[in-house]
């Protein structure tokens, strides 16, 4: 255990001398002083009983009784109680990493079922077993397109979620890929590896996407596919938070990636396949392995795209227990309530800026801050402020007619 003991001063000096610095402090000189924590202002130690009392007093400061009209990529959806119970079963808690299929059949089967469900929803041929989130999925789809087309220029819609755009900028800058942002798809796209469009976009608008001359990458909220027809494309990506995953202050979530069969050897992440074992029985295993942990790092399609197995499991359980009709009903209610709210706001003189939307839209008000503050007085989180006069509003099946009436009457 000696290797795990705290280093004494003599050992620290020896290590610093070996790497050519005078002190440990020299290692941190490149970090600006204002960005560094000078000391830890820690209270005196508490007993377990005292700690519980203190934590409970902090928890009481949280107000969880708000009606939420927030969206912008994270939505307050109905989560059946059975999801967490099933996900916590020992068969999943004790499942070993799927590198050894003989002792991880449960995990592999869940991956396979998730992939199958994603293919059915998106209309694509192949889906992976999740990536970190939608932002990662968008960035990985761009890298995937560049590998396929061998062109280092891509087109990305300005109406993409701003958080996704930031991640794309990080990925592409590091890979020397030129990103051009557009409001409308240009007539000539042949010189680009791909065109990436989000529909419904960040502002809730359902995009009208015309045929293009290169690869089309579509980012979507998978729950909208309960009602909307999937866009015909080459690669489809998005987030699965709306599939039975609580908002949880913004995470964790997971992203999905799906593509046409001819591109399956370029899709990053894990892929589970179904086969038969030595006894002729059904068996599951990882296949077409393109992750850095499976093959040589330099041959990997991505070196940073782990999958979110637990979130994928929850999404699989959600789709299973909701069924096709339940999934459609949740989508229908989400859209119905959004249009009902928009109509009632319009009757009150508050304009909706969208032409075509599913469950999310932008309203124009005299003062966004005052409007949201007024709604908060009635325990309503009224949406996301976009600028001084615009608010992004979202509804889900969790919003009742009474909630809508309260929203309108509070303004």
């Amino acid at each position: 255990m000696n290797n795990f003991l705290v280093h004494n001063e003599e050992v620290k000096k020896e290590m610093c001398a070996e790497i050519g610095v005078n002190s440990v402090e020299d290692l941190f000189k490149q970090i600006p002083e204002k960005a560094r924590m000078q000391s830890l202002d820690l209270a005196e130690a508490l007993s377990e009983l005292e700690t519980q009392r203190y934590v409970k007093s902090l928890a009481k400061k949280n107000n969880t009784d708000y009606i939420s009209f927030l969206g912008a990529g994270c939505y307050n959806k109905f989560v059946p109680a059975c999801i967490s119970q099933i996900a916590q079963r020992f068969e999943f808690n004790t499942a070993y990493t799927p590198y050894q299929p003989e002792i991880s059949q449960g995990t592999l089967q869940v991956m396979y079922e998730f992939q199958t469900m994603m293919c059915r929803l998106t209309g694509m041929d192949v889906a992976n077993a999740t990536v970190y989130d939608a932002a990662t999925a968008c960035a990985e789809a761009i890298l995937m397109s560049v590998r396929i087309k061998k062109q280092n220029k891509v087109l990305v819609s300005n109406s993409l979620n701003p958080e996704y755009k930031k991640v794309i900028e990080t990925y592409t800058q590091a890979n020397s890929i030129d990103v051009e942002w557009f409001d409308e798809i240009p007539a000539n796209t042949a010189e680009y590896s791909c065109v990436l469009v989000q529909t419904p976009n960040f502002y809730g608008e359902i995009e009208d996407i015309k045929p293009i001359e290169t690869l089309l990458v579509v980012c979507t909220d998978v729950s909208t596919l309960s009602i909307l027809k999937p866009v015909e494309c080459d690669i489809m990506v998005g987030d699965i938070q709306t599939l039975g995953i609580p908002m949880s202050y913004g995470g964790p979530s997971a992203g999905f990636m799906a593509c046409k069969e001819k591109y399956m050897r370029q899709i990053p992440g894990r892929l589970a396949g179904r086969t038969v074992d030595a006894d002729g029985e059904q068996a599951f295993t990882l296949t077409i392995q393109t992750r850095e942990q499976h093959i040589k790092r330099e041959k990997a399609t991505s070196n940073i795209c782990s999958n979110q197995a637990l979130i994928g499991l929850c999404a699989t359980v959600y789709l299973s227990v909701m069924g096709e009709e339940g999934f459609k009903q949740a989508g229908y209610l989400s859209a119905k309530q959004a249009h009902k709210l928009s109509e009632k706001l319009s009757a009150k003189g508050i304009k909706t800026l969208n032409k075509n939307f599913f469950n999310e839209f932008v309203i124009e008000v005299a003062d966004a801050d005052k409007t949201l503050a007024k709604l908060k007085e009635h325990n309503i989180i009224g949406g996301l402020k976009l600028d001084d006069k615009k608010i992004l509003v979202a509804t889900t099946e969790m919003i009742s007619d009474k909630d809508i009436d309260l929203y309108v009457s509070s303004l």
Side-chain angles (χ1 to χ4, degrees):
M1 292 293 292
N2 289 339
N3 291 335
F4 300 94
L5 296 177
V6 177
H7 301 306
N8 57 35
E9 290 302 316
E10 184 180 345
V11 172
K12 288 180 183 178
K13 288 179 180 178
E14 185 180 344
M15 293 172 70
C16 287
E18 182 67 26
I19 59 177
V21 296
N22 295 320
S23 66
V24 174
E25 182 66 25
D26 288 346
L27 296 172
F28 301 98
K29 282 185 177 178
Q30 60 183 327
I31 302 174
E33 194 74 23
K34 63 180 180 180
R36 296 166 60 181
M37 185 180 293
Q38 301 304 317
S39 63
L40 295 175
D41 186 18
L42 298 177
E44 293 296 317
L46 300 176
S47 68
E48 182 178 353
L49 176 60
E50 290 170 327
T51 302
Q52 287 183 0
R53 286 175 179 162
Y54 177 64
V55 171
K56 285 179 180 178
S57 71
L58 293 179
K60 287 179 181 178
K61 295 181 180 180
N62 291 327
N63 188 338
T64 59
D65 295 328
Y66 285 101
I67 302 167
S68 177
F69 288 82
L70 280 173
C74 190
Y75 305 86
N76 183 30
K77 299 282 287 183
F78 172 67
V79 181
C82 65
I83 292 180
S84 61
Q85 293 300 310
I86 294 173
Q88 290 174 33
R89 284 182 62 89
F90 75 91
E91 293 94 336
F92 298 117
N93 280 337
T94 60
Y96 193 64
T97 181
Y99 301 136
Q100 294 182 265
E102 65 276 12
I103 53 175
S104 55
Q105 283 299 291
T107 297
L108 286 162
Q109 183 170 357
V110 168
M111 287 181 178
Y112 181 84
E113 300 294 349
F114 172 81
Q115 292 167 190
T116 303
M117 290 174 176
M118 288 299 104
C119 287
R120 287 191 62 188
L121 286 172
T122 61
M124 305 302 285
D125 301 323
V126 181
N128 68 12
T130 74
V131 289
Y132 286 123
D133 52 23
T136 304
C138 286
E140 290 288 356
I142 287 175
L143 267 58
M144 180 177 169
S145 300
V146 169
R147 290 194 299 272
I148 294 168
K149 299 288 284 186
K150 304 292 191 296
Q151 293 167 293
N152 270 36
K153 288 172 63 179
V154 297
L155 282 166
V156 182
S157 172
N158 267 322
S159 58
L160 187 69
N161 187 307
E163 294 180 358
Y164 304 175
K165 291 163 80 171
K166 289 290 185 183
V167 174
I168 286 172
E169 287 171 353
T170 301
Y171 268 65
T172 52
Q173 186 273 332
N175 286 275
S176 301
I177 297 170
D178 294 328
V179 179
E180 293 183 20
W181 306 94
F182 67 86
D183 293 316
E184 290 188 16
I185 300 176
N188 182 14
T189 59
E191 62 182 300
Y192 302 94
S193 284
C194 71
V195 174
L196 195 163
V197 182
Q198 183 177 8
T199 183
N201 64 28
F202 176 70
Y203 306 103
E205 189 74 15
I206 300 171
E207 297 276 8
D208 180 20
I209 305 171
K210 295 178 174 61
I212 59 173
E213 302 164 287
T214 187
L215 297 179
L216 176 61
V217 180
V218 170
C219 176
T220 192
D221 171 4
V222 70
S223 67
T224 66
L225 301 179
S226 59
I227 304 294
L228 301 179
K229 184 179 179 181
V231 177
E232 189 172 334
C233 59
D234 299 287
I235 305 168
M236 190 174 289
V237 298
D239 209 281
I240 63 170
Q241 182 270 326
T242 52
L243 302 183
I245 313 301
M247 296 179 83
S248 301
Y249 295 94
S253 183
F256 77 89
M257 296 187 71
C259 67
K260 291 181 177 178
E261 184 177 0
K262 60 183 175 181
Y263 305 129
M264 67 181 177
R265 291 191 177 277
Q266 290 298 334
I267 195 169
R270 282 176 171 151
L271 286 161
R274 184 174 65 181
T275 183
V276 293
D277 62 17
D279 299 320
E281 299 292 331
Q282 175 179 268
F284 299 89
T285 186
L286 294 178
T287 186
I288 313 176
Q289 301 189 21
T290 59
R291 288 178 84 235
E292 77 289 354
Q293 291 169 294
H294 304 156
I295 61 175
K296 289 182 178 179
R297 188 179 181 90
E298 64 272 14
K299 292 184 178 180
T301 54
S302 174
N303 290 311
I304 53 174
C305 72
S306 187
N307 74 304
Q308 296 276 52
L310 181 61
I311 307 296
L313 165 62
C314 293
T316 306
V317 175
Y318 172 84
L319 289 170
S320 300
V321 299
M322 292 290 281
E324 187 173 342
E325 289 305 312
F327 185 51
K328 284 183 178 179
Q329 186 179 12
Y332 170 74
L333 288 172
S334 297
K336 176 187 173 185
Q337 297 302 74
H339 286 266
K340 184 178 290 186
L341 176 59
S342 174
E343 289 168 7
K344 292 200 171 190
L345 288 172
S346 295
K348 199 161 183 173
I350 297 173
K351 185 179 180 182
T352 294
L353 301 183
N354 299 68
K355 294 179 180 178
N356 300 296
F357 61 92
F358 185 75
N359 72 317
E360 199 162 12
F361 56 95
V362 178
I363 59 173
E364 189 172 51
V365 295
D367 188 310
D369 288 324
K370 287 183 179 179
T371 299
L372 292 173
K374 193 180 293 186
L375 288 166
K376 198 169 184 181
E377 289 174 5
H378 294 82
N379 275 19
I380 296 172
I381 301 176
L384 178 70
K385 176 186 173 183
L386 298 177
D387 61 31
D388 290 341
K389 293 189 176 183
K390 295 186 184 70
I391 300 172
L392 181 63
V393 181
T395 65
T396 68
E397 68 273 21
M398 300 292 282
I399 297 297
S400 67
D401 290 346
K402 185 178 177 181
D403 297 334
I404 290 172
D405 291 339
L406 182 59
Y407 191 111
V408 176
S409 64
S410 299
L411 297 176

